[in-house]
Amino acid sequence: KALAAGKGLNFSGPYGTGKTHLAAGIALELCKRMKPVIMLSMIDMLARIRDTFDDRTQESEARLMAVLTSVDLLVIDDLGKEAPSEWTLEKLYQVINARYERKRPVIITTNYTDQELINRLAKIDSSGRYRLDVKTAKAIVSRLHEMCSFTEMTGADWRGRIA
């Protein structure tokens, strides 16, 4: 029902609290129901887009972006782990905005709060200045709030304790 309405989910919280596990479970269930789903980490999504620049690849950036922006459900794992740059910010905005305009749901997992994610995407420095376009970073987070129900995951790292 939420999928048809274009409503997604955003799971945030510390590592090891089950965000990816829950997102993968939802994706798997939708696949069993014959719904097209793409699940990949943000780093892998950017790598796939970057790979289209290689002349030896058969996939064009336009075709890949069309798939990412139109698939029934896109799951982006570990948003914020990618190295921030103008290019990564632009590509993330392009994907999120197109899905927002088309009412296509996303599931996001992230270790960051809204402000931490904005700071990360816009590359805040030690003096508190943004090195990248903070307005685009804020627009991404704003769209995610309209597109998704937010759930904060808490608890201990189920994989084991990391000091």
Side-chain angles (χ1 to χ4, degrees):
K1 193 173 182 179
L3 182 68
K7 194 70 173 170
L9 298 164
N10 184 307
F11 300 123
S12 64
Y15 49 83
T17 54
K19 300 176 298 295
T20 299
H21 184 80
L22 185 55
I26 294 166
L28 182 59
E29 182 59 33
L30 288 171
C31 286
K32 287 180 183 176
R33 296 178 187 191
M34 305 305 286
K35 298 289 183 187
V37 175
I38 295 174
M39 180 173 180
L40 66 177
S41 71
M42 183 63 189
I43 290 172
D44 288 340
M45 184 175 81
L46 293 171
R48 291 281 305 271
I49 296 167
R50 197 174 291 112
D51 286 348
T52 65
F53 303 157
D54 186 336
D55 291 336
R56 295 171 291 186
T57 187
Q58 296 294 319
E59 189 162 42
S60 71
E61 181 182 3
R63 170 131 168 65
L64 178 58
M65 292 301 283
V67 170
L68 292 172
T69 58
S70 65
V71 67
D72 282 4
L73 176 66
L74 177 64
V75 181
I76 302 174
D77 190 35
D78 280 333
L79 178 59
K81 294 293 187 200
E82 67 284 353
S85 71
E86 288 292 343
W87 184 82
T88 61
L89 190 61
E90 175 187 318
K91 291 303 164 190
L92 177 59
Y93 180 81
Q94 188 178 357
V95 169
I96 296 300
N97 189 61
R99 294 190 69 79
Y100 169 77
E101 289 175 347
R102 296 174 181 164
K103 297 191 183 329
R104 306 304 276 165
V106 294
I107 295 178
I108 302 291
T109 72
T110 185
N111 295 132
Y112 299 97
T113 65
D114 288 351
Q115 190 59 54
E116 289 170 337
L117 186 58
I118 290 166
N119 292 350
R120 174 79 178 148
L121 294 172
K123 199 173 184 180
I124 197 167
D125 65 19
S126 59
S127 65
R129 291 188 326 223
Y130 291 106
R131 296 294 184 197
L132 303 176
D133 183 6
V134 69
K135 289 182 181 180
T136 299
K138 287 180 178 181
I140 291 166
V141 172
S142 176
R143 279 167 176 72
L144 289 176
H145 270 278
E146 186 168 338
M147 298 169 71
C148 300
S149 295
F150 277 61
T151 301
E152 184 178 356
M153 309 283 285
T154 60
D157 178 359
W158 66 270
R159 292 184 204 104
R161 301 206 184 268
I162 298 177

